Amino acid sequence: MRLLALLLLLTAPARSASYYLTIAGLGGEPEYEQRFTSLAQEIDKLLKASSGGARVETLHGPAATKAKITEILNAFAKSATPQDSTTVILIGHGTFDNVDYKFNIPGPDLSAYDLGGLLDKIPGHQLVINTTSCSGGSVVALKKQGRALITATKAGSEKNATVFARYIAEALRDPAADADKNEAVSALEAYRYANEKTIRFYETQKRIATEHAQLEDTGKSEPVRDANTENGQGLLAARVTLLRLGSAQKAAATPEKRQLLEKKEALEQEIAKLKYQRAAMNSEQYRKQLTQMLLELAKVQAEIDK
Amino acid sequence: MRTTIPCRAANPGRGPAFQPGLLSLLITVHLWPLGLLAQSVTDCEAHKHHGRLAETQRCYQQLSNSRDLLQRAEGLWGLGLTQDANNAFRAAAAANPKSPEIKIRWGRFFLERWQKEDAAALFEEAMELKKDHPQALLGMALLASEGFEKKATEFAQKALEGDPKLVEAQALMAQLAVEDVNFDKARTEAEKALKISAESLEAMGVMAALDVLADKPNSPWFDKIAQINPVYAEGYAYVAHVLTINRRYLEAIEFFKKAIEKNPRYWPAHSEIGISYMRLAREKEARHHLELAYNNNHKDPETVNSLRLMDSYANFDNFKTPHGELRLHKKESALLKLYFEQELERAITTFEKKYKVKLKEGVRLEVYPDHEDFAVRTMGMPGLGALGVTFGYVVAMDSPSGRKPGTFHWASTLWHELSHVYALSATNHRVPRWFTEGLAVHEETAVAPDWGDRLDPHMLMAVKDKKLLPVAQLDRGFIRPSYPNQVIVSYFQGGRICDYINQKWGWQTLLDMLHSFADNRTTPEVIEKHLKLKPEEFDKEFLAWLDKQLATPLAKFEDWQKALKLLNNGAREAKADDALNKKVIEDGLKIRDWFPEYVEPGNVYEVVAEAYLKMGNKKSAAAELERYAKVGGRSPATLKKLADLQAEQGRPKDAIATLDKLNFIYPVADPDMHRKMGELCLTTNQLPMAIREFQAALASKPLDPASSYYQLALAYMKANRIADAKEQVINALEAAPGFKPAQKLLLELSSK
């Protein structure tokens, strides 16, 4: 029931502030340099366009130094509250020496422990999307309760350049990533989208996959490839909204429709509950109840949209 | 591979049959009491040769206790104690490193235990010690024969030059001629073997096989064999093997049964009959015999892999179709069923009319996503396609998911294999390889000109270098190729021959030829009867026709090759420079029709289209890519690009046609493509296709299932299938309860 309770939180309108820091590290060669920078710029644009009052910072090229990263994250720490969320996206090359992961940036590299220390000072829940090579090596240092962690590789030993970052960016612009159609792309949806696309990339190219993305958001377990209710992973990632689409926020901000919204939320919770009870139900009965609830929800939504 | 062919495994658990040649080999071993060794081994061989099983056992038992290492090895081998025998051979070889004979015997031991590399190494070492040692050459010939290599004949011939009395090599020459479908030569070679040794069981087996192939199943040679060795199962098993490679699978099973009746402990026959049953989808019988062989230590790759494949059947779904059955892997069955069932039925309906044959049984189509599983189906069979194989009414083929996108046209392969079903059925499996393959290749492009294999440089060069075989010998190109790519070239040649006959004499003539083959007539007889030409006259006319067909690519090939390289270099350098792109277009158009069928990477069509796009000329780019698609271009990315351009230019029906081509090439792992096609079908009101495409999108496990369910619901609603539409919109909302368009549709549907 704890899982259910957490899941039901997902339907609650978000009223917290969001902080984003996207960093493109050193490419090493012009092709990678350009690729990393353009991905960071694309993500920056998408986040700024969709997340009204959010604070969006992006670093690339010579500016992406450890000092600048420290400065921005310290600033986040000063203004963020426990209800807020902070997202850090790393794009580029990483290294792992069996002890510590390092993100390659101009000047001194940023280690996973450095980043963990900076994030520890920021209140609220956090999301780190580390899309670099060797990013699996950053898990131990970054894992913490209240922090969702997505890495492009399953271990520090996966050293090849990754394609995962490309699909994280794609998840932010492709409406298909919003699988539950709630007009917001959660970290979990973005992860699933990028992970699936990465798998298909290697399958279609008939290449041996050199990266295996994973997610950890309990702060106490091993990362998993497939986050689900059985392994208990993905609950926090589902709560972290990466991108808002359409009218979701506007609706939440309209006072006269509060009653309808509350009814809608109640119905959504009922539907979620019913879906969880499905395995124990007669399928015909389940389908009948589901149809009734969905129809009712559709009517309420139609009222809201009038 | 063919590790269990009876001709080699003539002595189960033991080496070659008794023969004077072997005796002379052993006598040359000078390090032991020669008389005793030769006498002892020869005695054992003689007992075995005459089917005196108890005496054979005792003889080997005695040998296995010998203090002499080679004798002990031979004895242990004879008793089937393979590990001990191997140790004894190793010790014998170490004690006598200069003896080629020990290496040869050890090599033969490995050959029998399916360790070909070890066997080859030992034969080569033996030949380093004694150049052109006949027994070593014979070992190499046997090895090569297992892979249907042309060198087998060369090695056997050379062995006979060194030792004209080497009856095993002579009998092998006869067996190789049988495989080459050169039956006159096979008979002559077998007669030579019988002159060397009137008791050559292998040669008698060849004579029996020739009779059976000529529809004389009660050959007197079986009695002659029985008079020498009443328990000689290998004779029947050899005949069964010959029938198998001639695609006469049901008859082969009857002869394997006879082999097992002769000697129920002849495990290679159990293995082979098990594989035969598996090929014919008689899985219970297959498993029984394969497990029997396996449990009695007959663990050759064919047996082991076949059992593994059968174990994997639990991962497959079986679907009944109107004319048969589909077996698809669970991971892709929902998707592939949408396309494979439709094509299977379409092909059967078409061929039933075209071949004027109604199949007696349903067709079973098996589709393997793992090429290794499919490969198990073709083990031990020469010249079979690398993509699909037909065993009577059973067709096995690669799944599109098992191949690199754009390299495999699965529908073309399906029609090719289905054509075999009809050709085999119409001739009671008596059609020669070249003709059934030729018909099958012809059928690929008869369905649609852009299907089938494109003319590639290998084929072109084979024509240019006059490497095509005379029609009367074309089967050899499939079975024992004499140069790389000859099998591919032979498929091409067979196909073009059928194209030519169809064009000049008409389809009915091809059918008449098929019926004559059913009467067991030879290729020269059939050509003369129906085309009124001697085979050599036909070859001349056909080659002249082909030369005319390929006149331009033949004349321009070298120039085209050089120009294409320059064109690609120019395209790389052109970037966004309009003048340079214009030059790329001009150069490309100049050489495009020199070799119009070339659609592989770097082809002119794509290069020119890209240049047009860089210049912003989308219309011309689309036109160029349409040419590419029309001649059989198969790159999924390029076809999708073309479909986008067509849709953008307000030609949704053309875009649908382009994407539908892709469905026959690589329909897997691409839910976006199916959704896009479904949307185009919705806009053009092609509702059944729209429904199929949204179903395909859902079966491809899309990242956004709610949208696909919703679109499927829309298609159903448009098709007035309200109940289905409601079901799908509920599915959409179950995945995404807040999905507004689906909510609106639900409200709309609920009011109906």
Side-chain angles (χ1 to χ4, degrees):
Chain A
M1 284 314 286
R2 189 182 143 269
L3 294 182
L4 176 60
L6 276 170
L7 258 184
L8 297 180
L9 283 174
L10 304 184
T11 57
R15 295 176 189 87
S16 54
S18 302
Y19 295 83
Y20 299 93
L21 172 59
T22 304
I23 313 158
L26 285 172
E29 43 191 278
E31 188 193 331
Y32 283 118
E33 196 77 37
Q34 193 186 346
R35 190 192 300 173
F36 298 156
T37 300
S38 70
L39 280 171
Q41 286 170 332
E42 186 185 358
I43 290 171
D44 178 80
K45 199 172 158 191
L46 289 161
L47 292 174
K48 281 178 177 160
S50 71
S51 309
R55 180 162 171 191
V56 180
E57 299 282 355
T58 300
L59 296 173
H60 55 81
T65 59
K66 190 173 172 181
K68 189 69 186 164
I69 294 166
T70 305
E71 183 191 321
I72 291 172
L73 291 178
N74 282 340
F76 285 2
K78 277 183 192 163
S79 54
T81 69
Q83 288 73 42
D84 297 340
S85 70
T86 301
T87 298
V88 175
I89 302 173
L90 307 183
I91 301 164
H93 297 305
T95 56
F96 183 63
D97 60 5
N98 290 321
V99 179
D100 198 5
Y101 162 88
K102 283 181 181 161
F103 178 45
N104 302 161
I105 48 175
D109 286 345
L110 179 75
S111 77
Y113 286 103
D114 293 337
L115 180 62
L118 290 165
L119 288 171
D120 285 348
K121 295 182 205 162
I122 304 174
H125 54 246
Q126 295 163 356
L127 166 68
V128 178
I129 304 178
N130 187 348
T131 70
T132 71
S133 47
C134 303
S135 50
S138 65
V139 172
V140 172
L142 288 171
K143 195 160 68 172
K144 188 188 175 190
Q145 207 161 5
R147 182 181 296 157
L149 193 54
I150 290 169
T151 62
T153 77
K154 68 179 175 188
S157 55
E158 289 190 322
K159 294 175 182 172
N160 289 6
T162 65
V163 297
F164 187 71
R166 179 200 307 180
Y167 296 119
I168 282 287
E170 196 176 305
L172 300 181
R173 65 175 138 79
D174 185 352
D178 176 21
D180 64 4
K181 304 291 164 204
N182 66 347
E183 299 188 315
V185 177
S186 69
L188 184 63
E189 285 174 329
Y191 166 74
R192 284 181 173 153
Y193 181 97
N195 182 37
E196 191 59 37
K197 287 268 182 173
T198 302
I199 291 168
R200 281 184 195 162
F201 170 83
Y202 286 100
E203 277 178 1
T204 310
Q205 297 287 316
K206 301 285 174 228
R207 281 166 53 180
I208 293 170
T210 52
E211 61 189 292
H212 301 83
Q214 55 180 6
L215 182 147
E216 204 295 315
D217 68 355
T218 64
K220 54 190 178 186
S221 307
E222 287 303 308
V224 293
R225 299 270 289 142
D226 180 20
N228 55 48
T229 50
E230 278 165 29
N231 56 37
Q233 297 277 14
L235 295 172
L236 177 60
R239 288 166 62 195
V240 178
T241 299
L242 261 179
L243 199 78
R244 290 201 177 279
L245 313 163
S247 59
Q249 258 187 333
K250 285 183 211 159
T254 312
E256 58 270 24
K257 290 185 177 169
R258 175 64 52 207
Q259 202 178 350
L260 279 169
L261 278 170
E262 279 170 9
K263 193 174 175 187
K264 180 188 159 189
E265 283 170 19
L267 271 167
E268 284 171 343
Q269 288 181 16
E270 285 296 310
I271 290 165
K273 195 172 161 189
L274 181 74
K275 281 159 76 173
Y276 260 76
Q277 291 166 343
R278 181 183 187 167
M281 289 177 77
N282 167 299
S283 60
E284 204 176 318
Q285 193 190 2
Y286 166 78
R287 196 78 182 171
K288 198 174 167 187
Q289 283 188 33
L290 180 71
T291 305
Q292 282 169 354
M293 288 180 189
L294 290 171
L295 192 57
E296 189 57 31
L297 182 63
K299 286 175 183 168
V300 171
Q301 186 63 54
E303 284 299 311
I304 294 169
D305 291 341
K306 266 183 187 170
Chain B
M1 283 188 290
R2 200 183 44 153
T3 53
T4 60
I5 55 165
C7 50
R8 174 178 53 68
N11 304 276
R14 193 62 182 88
F18 166 77
Q19 52 174 279
L22 175 66
L23 183 64
S24 65
L25 182 150
L26 293 169
I27 286 170
T28 58
V29 178
H30 298 295
L31 300 162
W32 297 278
L34 296 179
L36 181 62
L37 169 63
Q39 185 67 42
S40 300
V41 175
T42 309
D43 277 350
C44 297
E45 295 288 351
H47 287 314
K48 177 179 285 280
H49 184 73
H50 291 99
R52 298 186 292 261
L53 298 181
E55 288 91 333
T56 308
Q57 187 78 0
R58 274 200 297 276
C59 183
Y60 283 128
Q61 187 69 52
Q62 195 184 346
L63 275 187
S64 70
N65 293 324
S66 170
R67 285 167 58 195
D68 177 89
L69 289 170
L70 179 59
Q71 283 197 59
R72 192 186 305 163
E74 295 277 359
L76 291 165
W77 181 11
L79 293 172
L81 300 169
T82 51
Q83 192 58 50
D84 294 339
N86 187 34
N87 292 339
F89 272 122
R90 185 182 296 112
N96 304 281
K98 299 288 179 195
S99 165
E101 287 76 16
I102 292 174
K103 291 185 188 298
I104 291 166
R105 294 300 298 154
W106 195 10
R108 290 296 294 266
F109 165 80
F110 275 129
L111 184 57
E112 193 188 86
R113 299 308 301 170
W114 317 292
Q115 288 173 252
K116 294 181 188 177
E117 285 179 14
D118 293 322
L122 284 161
F123 295 142
E124 277 163 14
E125 284 174 29
M127 284 200 283
E128 278 169 22
L129 291 167
K130 186 180 174 188
K131 193 170 179 287
D132 293 340
H133 194 303
Q135 287 284 356
L137 286 165
L138 172 60
M140 296 300 282
L142 288 166
L143 256 175
S145 76
E146 300 212 342
F148 296 96
E149 293 171 37
K150 189 168 183 287
K151 279 191 165 183
T153 312
E154 292 165 17
F155 282 129
Q157 188 62 51
K158 211 167 174 185
L160 281 167
E161 283 164 18
D163 179 1
K165 297 287 181 192
L166 190 53
V167 67
E168 201 186 352
Q170 186 57 62
L172 179 62
M173 287 292 287
Q175 291 169 340
L176 294 169
V178 172
E179 288 175 2
D180 282 345
V181 205
N182 194 342
F183 299 148
D184 291 341
K185 182 168 187 259
R187 190 173 299 281
T188 308
E189 298 289 359
E191 283 166 356
K192 281 188 202 166
L194 288 166
K195 272 188 190 160
I196 298 168
S197 166
E199 288 198 350
S200 168
L201 294 171
E202 288 98 332
M204 291 181 184
V206 169
M207 297 302 255
L210 291 171
D211 283 347
V212 173
L213 284 173
D215 285 337
K216 293 175 202 158
N218 299 316
S219 167
W221 288 99
F222 290 118
D223 286 341
K224 290 180 189 175
I225 289 170
Q227 281 164 19
I228 295 164
N229 182 342
V231 293
Y232 190 68
E234 294 85 329
Y236 285 108
Y238 173 69
V239 173
H241 164 73
V242 170
L243 287 166
T244 302
I245 63 171
N246 281 278
R247 300 184 174 198
R248 289 164 64 171
Y249 307 113
L250 283 171
E251 291 169 86
I253 283 179
E254 293 310 309
F255 279 90
F256 280 129
K257 280 183 187 169
K258 286 181 186 176
I260 291 168
E261 273 170 32
K262 277 274 173 195
N263 181 359
R265 296 183 61 77
Y266 184 51
W267 309 119
H270 284 284
S271 169
E272 293 239 21
I273 198 173
I275 292 166
S276 300
Y277 277 129
M278 187 180 80
R279 284 174 179 151
L280 300 179
R282 289 162 65 174
E283 282 155 18
K284 198 174 164 193
E285 293 142 304
R287 187 175 281 282
H288 167 74
H289 285 283
L290 286 165
E291 284 182 347
L292 205 53
Y294 183 87
N295 293 335
N296 282 284
N297 207 28
H298 186 80
K299 296 176 181 175
D300 64 329
E302 283 89 340
T303 307
V304 175
N305 290 338
S306 298
L307 281 168
R308 277 187 193 146
L309 178 64
M310 292 187 73
D311 289 343
S312 78
Y313 286 164
N315 302 322
F316 285 76
D317 286 324
N318 295 301
F319 302 99
K320 289 278 174 209
T321 66
H323 289 93
E325 190 180 351
L326 253 181
R327 173 171 280 177
L328 302 170
H329 198 280
K330 284 182 192 295
K331 72 178 181 185
E332 58 187 16
S333 62
L335 172 71
L336 295 189
K337 184 175 180 286
L338 296 169
Y339 302 98
F340 274 74
E341 184 173 2
Q342 186 178 312
E343 276 316 288
L344 177 63
E345 289 304 311
R346 192 162 77 100
I348 288 174
T349 310
T350 305
F351 287 151
E352 207 168 89
K353 285 182 197 152
K354 199 169 176 182
Y355 286 82
K356 299 172 186 167
V357 171
K358 204 155 181 75
L359 297 179
K360 290 177 194 156
E361 291 179 30
V363 176
R364 155 113 147 238
L365 174 63
E366 301 174 357
V367 183
Y368 293 97
D370 183 348
H371 181 72
E372 293 309 312
D373 285 342
F374 164 70
V376 174
R377 290 303 228 158
T378 59
M379 278 190 314
M381 296 293 289
L384 290 186
L387 309 169
V389 63
T390 300
F391 298 104
Y393 295 100
V394 178
V395 173
M397 61 182 282
D398 270 335
S399 163
S401 63
R403 294 266 161 180
K404 197 169 178 187
T407 60
F408 174 48
H409 196 292
W410 67 264
S412 191
T413 299
L414 189 156
W415 280 70
H416 177 113
E417 298 305 330
L418 257 290
S419 159
H420 285 317
V421 173
Y422 280 83
L424 290 171
S425 179
T427 59
N428 196 20
H429 295 235
R430 277 155 181 76
V431 60
R433 175 69 44 81
W434 78 265
F435 193 72
T436 185
E437 296 296 359
L439 272 183
V441 170
H442 168 79
E443 292 296 1
E444 292 176 27
T445 42
V447 190
D450 58 304
W451 288 23
D453 287 336
R454 302 297 85 191
L455 176 74
D456 74 9
H458 298 302
M459 298 164 186
L460 199 61
M461 292 319 290
V463 177
K464 197 177 174 77
D465 298 342
K466 309 215 176 298
K467 282 184 167 176
L468 300 191
L469 288 169
V471 66
Q473 294 168 28
L474 186 48
D475 274 351
R476 280 175 225 169
F478 292 95
I479 295 164
R480 211 179 304 283
S482 59
Y483 60 87
N485 296 311
Q486 192 179 16
V487 173
I488 294 167
V489 170
S490 299
Y491 273 92
F492 159 76
Q493 186 183 348
R496 291 296 170 110
I497 287 176
C498 289
D499 291 344
Y500 175 55
I501 295 172
N502 184 50
Q503 189 186 326
K504 186 169 177 185
W505 286 275
W507 175 251
Q508 187 55 47
T509 301
L510 281 167
L511 278 191
D512 293 340
M513 290 173 76
L514 197 61
H515 295 140
S516 284
F517 283 126
D519 295 335
N520 230 347
R521 294 191 185 272
T522 63
T523 294
E525 286 168 352
V526 171
I527 297 266
E528 282 188 49
K529 184 179 175 193
H530 295 286
L531 309 183
K532 313 292 180 211
L533 291 170
K534 296 270 182 207
E536 47 280 14
E537 289 171 334
F538 173 80
D539 288 332
K540 208 173 158 186
E541 285 194 11
F542 165 68
L543 289 175
W545 173 84
L546 190 64
D547 280 345
K548 204 174 165 188
Q549 295 266 311
L550 306 178
T552 307
L554 282 171
K556 297 281 190 182
F557 184 68
E558 278 84 11
D559 292 342
W560 171 85
Q561 266 188 317
K562 284 177 204 157
L564 187 69
K565 201 175 172 187
L566 291 173
L567 180 74
N568 276 279
N569 289 341
R572 268 191 295 277
E573 286 161 15
K575 294 182 182 160
D577 186 316
D578 275 3
L580 290 178
N581 279 309
K582 200 174 165 206
K583 185 168 182 336
V584 166
I585 293 164
E586 282 168 8
D587 291 348
L589 295 181
K590 194 176 146 196
I591 64 164
R592 184 187 64 200
D593 299 332
W594 290 358
F595 192 171
E597 282 197 58
Y598 187 77
V599 288
E600 301 307 313
N603 65 79
V604 176
Y605 305 99
E606 287 181 274
V607 171
V608 169
E610 198 53 40
Y612 276 130
L613 283 176
K614 283 181 192 166
M615 294 177 69
N617 187 347
K618 290 186 178 180
K619 198 174 171 192
S620 297
E624 204 54 36
L625 292 181
E626 277 166 356
R627 279 191 197 93
Y628 166 81
K630 195 176 171 188
V631 296
R634 284 166 195 173
S635 156
T638 306
L639 291 175
K640 282 192 271 188
K641 189 189 288 177
L642 170 60
D644 285 343
L645 287 168
Q646 289 166 323
E648 206 180 303
Q649 289 164 20
R651 295 190 286 141
K653 285 189 179 170
D654 291 338
I656 291 168
T658 300
L659 292 176
D660 207 26
K661 280 181 194 289
L662 199 45
N663 275 331
F664 292 128
I665 297 165
Y666 197 75
V668 291
D670 202 346
D672 294 344
M673 184 272 281
H674 292 296
R675 264 191 65 187
K676 192 175 284 178
M677 184 169 164
E679 285 163 6
L680 289 164
C681 292
L682 260 187
T683 60
T684 52
N685 227 22
Q686 299 182 56
L687 300 177
M689 212 188 270
I691 290 168
R692 184 193 69 188
E693 287 308 304
F694 292 130
Q695 286 173 333
L698 283 162
S700 306
K701 298 182 181 63
L703 292 159
D704 175 16
S707 291
S708 294
Y709 280 125
Y710 165 69
Q711 286 169 312
L712 180 56
L714 276 182
Y716 277 135
M717 191 180 74
K718 274 188 122 180
N720 210 25
R721 291 170 60 177
I722 303 303
D724 290 328
K726 272 185 188 168
E727 189 174 344
Q728 297 309 326
V729 81
I730 293 297
N731 285 339
L733 289 167
E734 185 184 24
F739 188 15
K740 284 186 189 173
Q743 288 178 329
K744 283 180 187 161
L745 184 61
L746 177 62
L747 291 174
E748 191 182 339
L749 287 166
S750 299
S751 66
K752 283 188 188 271

